[in-house]
Amino acid sequence: MERRYDFLVIGSGIAGLFFALEVVAKNPTAKLAIVTKKEEKNTSTNRAQGGIAAVLGKADSVEAHVDDTLNAGCGLCHRDVVERVVEAGPSVIKELVAYGVKFTQVRGQLDLGREGGHSANRVLHAADLTGREIERALVAACHHRADQIDIYRDHIVLDLITYPAGGREACAGAFVFTEKDRAFDAFYAPVTMLATGGLGQVYFHTTNPKIATGDGVAMAYRAGASVANLEFVQFHPTALYNPGRWPFLISEAVRGEGGILKTVDSQRVMEHAHPLKDLAPRDIVARAIDKVLKESGEEYVLLDISHLDGKHIKKRFPNIYKECLRRGFDITRRSIPVVPSAHYACGGVLATIDGETELAGLFAAGEVAATGMHGANRLASNSLLEAVVMAKFGAGKATEYFQQAGLPEVIPVDNSLYSSLQYPREKVFIAHDRRQLQRIMSDFVAIVRTENRLNLALEKIHRIKDNVEQYYLSTPATYGVVELRNMATVAELIIRSALMRHESRGLHYIEDYPQTDDAYLKDTIIREERSNRNRGRTTSQEGS
Ligand SMILES: Cc1cc2nc3c(=O)[nH]c(=O)nc-3n(C[C@H](O)[C@H](O)[C@H](O)COP(=O)(O)OP(=O)(O)OC[C@H]3O[C@@H](n4cnc5c(N)ncnc54)[C@H](O)[C@@H]3O)c2cc1C
């Protein structure tokens, strides 16, 4: 079936929802579709705990927030982008409040918390469930605009629809599949906003929800857009080791309170790793744990606070205490198994801070995009800020584009692929390959890299990628196979980006090149050449 809209939004996290609301406010007669592959609230946004950074305190300044962001980014942030995002912070917070987000207040004032790397109190939060509150309010606001906004849940986008337009590739919408109805639809729109979030699921250990399979990066890349800086994946040092269950973060405050990291045979992990021992910065701790795990072949290390008073632990960490207990770990009596887990992708689809990509009519916002905001490492609580600012700026640019450009009456599309996806097969191969891919990435492409391990991983990922292309053509389209196809592409792109950067900087640490090298003080950019599109993996590499 064909559906036609003025604006198509892929994704229902903070970026997609905020963009949708801004667009309908600016274009009162426009019709907009939000397509999301699960329930609206099944997003990383919904999981964000800490908060959203903005300069609102009297003792704070735009310059200080910009400096903190640049320091975290290890030389790779784009200063102009950082300045625009930080300057826009206070006004987007006002808009979030106007859409109904209730941030925590103290004595009638917004409560501003502080997080690692920030030199001032500037993190707005809604208790420790900030993302859930933002998602709740924005989903409700979109439902309220049902006159202009249609929401399609359980609809997965397979690929973007592109056509040549004046010497440039343009996007005309997307092919969408619903597993329940086994239906393929073409959604046409002059403007498509890609707001598909992150890619943490390509790793076995991740804090990201199941939807974070890097679909947006993979489909934009297949459509001919450049991707950038994918080697910079941020790992949270201590997520609960509990395979098969929802990921759960063990806050770094536990170490701040006296928690000690130990190996399974009770050796202190941080004893010789850093003068600050367990209070060392996040990346050093994650690297030290990774080293211990690689040497021992164990699956996790232990975080112990059982030496502290039980009453104090329950009072200081009520949520962590309760959740761990629910999963069988009484943290007042025994240590907690933890493992570093993929948390945030600093790289993504190359985009301006106004959301423009290299394809006419294709915009991107949120974690899927690489704008130069985060450089080689993300400052805590800057990702929700960047997502909402991009969505706002993107709505402005997309409106301008919409008012000048239309779609041609006929767009020649090749959807023969989608009519061939009809034959039932066993799903076990897909589940097996997904697990294998995630293990390869966690074992060989995580925190501490070597060229040797990266090359081995690339070889293995290519094999999975070839298998997946076979499944994709011959098995029934299931969300599983669609995601696996995207995960294989994204895994390959992460490894290739890592192999291109012959230095260690920010989140990319490679033992063969342990120093920073200013010859690499530029973005890593990869783009698939048009002539090779849909024909395998020959591509051009423009950077690092
Ligand atoms: C546990 C956790 C805690 C965090 N804490 C913080 C924090 O305190 N502060 C902060 O700034 N950041 C935090 N982050 C990061 C932040 O939450 C994310 O970067 C941000 O929410 C991303 O928003 P988004 O709109 O880009 O994507 P998401 O919120 O992830 O939304 C993506 C949407 O795209 C949809 N989608 C994806 N692929 C397809 C497809 N093929 N077809 C259709 N729909 C698709 C998904 O279903 C989903 O609706 C945290 C992340 C996690 C995982």
Side-chain angles (χ1 to χ4, degrees):
M1 187 195 283
E2 275 189 24
R3 298 182 190 275
R4 288 189 181 260
Y5 281 91
D6 299 316
F7 295 84
L8 170 66
V9 179
I10 311 173
S12 59
I14 187 170
L17 298 173
F18 198 88
F19 175 83
L21 290 166
E22 294 283 303
V23 160
V24 296
K26 284 180 192 302
N27 301 277
T29 56
K31 288 288 285 177
L32 180 147
I34 299 178
V35 173
T36 187
K37 66 180 169 177
K38 293 271 161 85
E39 291 266 306
E40 288 100 311
K41 64 179 192 311
N42 208 322
T43 60
S44 288
T45 300
N46 203 44
R47 300 281 188 91
Q49 300 170 342
I52 175 166
V55 176
L56 290 165
K58 288 202 182 76
D60 198 5
S61 67
V62 166
E63 293 71 35
H65 190 178
V66 168
D67 283 350
D68 294 343
T69 304
L70 296 178
N71 286 341
C74 303
L76 276 192
C77 295
H78 297 195
R79 180 184 265 278
D80 54 334
V81 169
V82 177
E83 284 173 352
R84 279 192 70 196
V85 173
V86 170
E87 276 162 13
S91 72
V92 293
I93 295 297
K94 260 194 211 146
E95 287 192 63
L96 283 172
V97 172
Y99 284 128
V101 178
K102 291 188 173 54
F103 291 111
T104 299
Q105 300 200 356
V106 176
R107 289 183 287 281
Q109 300 289 317
L110 287 170
D111 185 37
L112 302 175
R114 169 121 34 139
E115 290 196 352
H118 288 277
S119 60
N121 285 29
R122 63 170 76 103
V123 179
L124 289 105
H125 59 102
D128 60 353
L129 295 170
T130 310
R132 190 184 295 182
E133 171 58 13
I134 293 175
E135 185 79 29
R136 179 204 62 75
L138 296 183
V139 168
C142 283
H143 287 171
H144 196 65
R145 299 307 314 270
D147 53 327
Q148 284 184 269
I149 301 178
D150 291 339
I151 301 183
Y152 294 85
R153 303 170 194 100
D154 276 314
H155 281 60
I156 192 166
V157 172
L158 303 173
D159 262 315
L160 300 170
I161 301 171
T162 58
Y163 65 101
R168 184 181 176 201
E169 203 71 358
C171 180
F175 292 114
V176 179
F177 171 65
T178 35
E179 197 170 283
K180 189 162 60 71
D181 306 331
R182 305 210 51 72
F184 294 96
D185 295 322
F187 279 64
Y188 288 105
V191 170
T192 300
M193 164 53 80
L194 201 57
T196 48
L199 50 77
Q201 283 289 328
V202 302
Y203 287 89
F204 188 73
H205 299 296
T206 179
T207 64
N208 288 192
K210 285 251 158 48
I211 53 98
T213 47
D215 297 3
V217 169
M219 57 181 119
Y221 172 73
R222 283 195 293 269
S226 293
V227 294
N229 292 354
L230 284 167
E231 68 273 36
F232 298 114
V233 178
Q234 189 170 60
F235 283 76
H236 193 285
T238 53
L240 183 69
Y241 176 81
N242 205 197
R245 303 283 301 272
W246 279 70
F248 183 65
L249 286 188
I250 306 295
S251 156
E252 295 189 71
V254 171
R255 279 183 288 113
E257 204 65 26
I260 296 170
L261 286 162
K262 294 178 179 167
T263 61
V264 287
D265 49 4
S266 299
Q267 303 300 309
R268 284 189 69 158
V269 173
M270 297 306 297
E271 185 64 26
H272 304 292
H274 193 273
L276 289 172
K277 300 201 169 136
D278 294 274
L279 297 178
R282 170 190 277 212
D283 303 339
I284 309 273
V285 175
R287 228 176 276 157
I289 299 175
D290 187 79
K291 184 162 180 278
V292 162
L293 296 181
K294 287 229 167 57
E295 282 168 6
S296 65
E298 299 289 354
E299 289 280 303
Y300 54 83
V301 294
L302 299 168
L303 179 58
D304 190 12
I305 47 162
S306 62
H307 51 282
L308 299 185
D309 174 51
K311 274 197 200 131
H312 174 68
I313 295 173
K314 287 183 205 170
K315 186 153 177 258
R316 176 73 183 80
F317 302 112
N319 195 30
I320 294 176
Y321 170 73
K322 256 191 252 151
E323 185 58 30
C324 288
L325 196 61
R326 215 170 60 83
R327 298 181 188 215
F329 305 103
D330 180 350
I331 64 172
T332 63
R333 291 167 184 275
R334 56 178 284 202
S335 40
I336 321 166
V338 291
V339 66
S341 299
H343 189 50
Y344 184 79
C346 292
V349 180
L350 192 65
T352 67
I353 195 59
D354 296 303
E356 293 163 300
T357 70
E358 292 166 336
L359 269 60
L362 179 67
F363 291 76
E367 192 168 339
V368 69
T371 59
M373 171 73 185
H374 307 297
N377 197 353
R378 173 192 70 129
L379 183 66
S381 292
N382 261 357
S383 34
L384 290 173
L385 174 66
E386 183 205 33
V388 74
V389 171
M390 274 192 97
K392 180 183 166 66
F393 292 171
K397 270 281 175 245
T399 296
E400 277 171 31
Y401 180 83
F402 169 68
Q403 284 164 358
Q404 303 154 12
L407 282 185
E409 268 308 301
V410 181
I411 298 166
V413 293
D414 175 14
N415 61 3
S416 54
L417 184 62
Y418 302 119
S419 51
S420 69
L421 303 174
Q422 298 295 340
Y423 316 106
R425 292 274 197 288
E426 290 173 317
K427 292 183 187 167
V428 63
F429 300 109
I430 296 155
H432 173 83
D433 275 359
R434 182 172 177 135
R435 262 196 313 274
Q436 224 193 356
L437 178 144
Q438 291 170 320
R439 288 265 31 155
I440 293 165
M441 293 301 284
S442 272
D443 289 347
F444 301 137
V445 196
I447 299 162
V448 177
R449 297 157 177 177
T450 65
E451 275 191 336
N452 201 10
R453 288 200 287 262
L454 290 174
N455 280 317
L456 184 68
L458 191 59
E459 210 181 291
K460 288 172 183 280
I461 294 293
H462 279 162
R463 228 170 294 144
I464 293 177
K465 199 166 171 237
D466 290 345
N467 280 348
V468 181
E469 286 301 328
Q470 296 302 319
Y471 302 145
Y472 194 73
L473 295 176
S474 64
T475 60
T478 62
Y479 293 173
V481 80
V482 173
E483 289 183 344
L484 182 59
R485 180 182 185 226
N486 292 328
M487 289 163 75
T489 298
V490 170
E492 183 197 18
L493 290 168
I494 293 173
I495 300 170
R496 285 175 46 204
S497 304
L499 280 167
M500 286 162 71
R501 187 169 286 281
H502 292 183
E503 64 156 357
S504 291
R505 182 185 299 275
L507 299 166
H508 172 66
Y509 184 82
I510 179 158
E511 284 178 355
D512 312 71
Y513 309 101
Q515 308 299 332
T516 48
D517 176 352
D518 283 352
Y520 288 90
L521 201 54
K522 53 191 169 188
D523 296 324
T524 308
I525 295 175
I526 302 181
R527 179 167 186 270
E528 190 171 32
E529 277 173 12
R530 282 203 63 185
S531 57
N532 294 320
R533 207 94 35 89
N534 301 325
R535 272 204 251 134
R537 50 179 180 256
T538 321
T539 52
S540 74
Q541 305 190 346
E542 293 174 19
S544 149

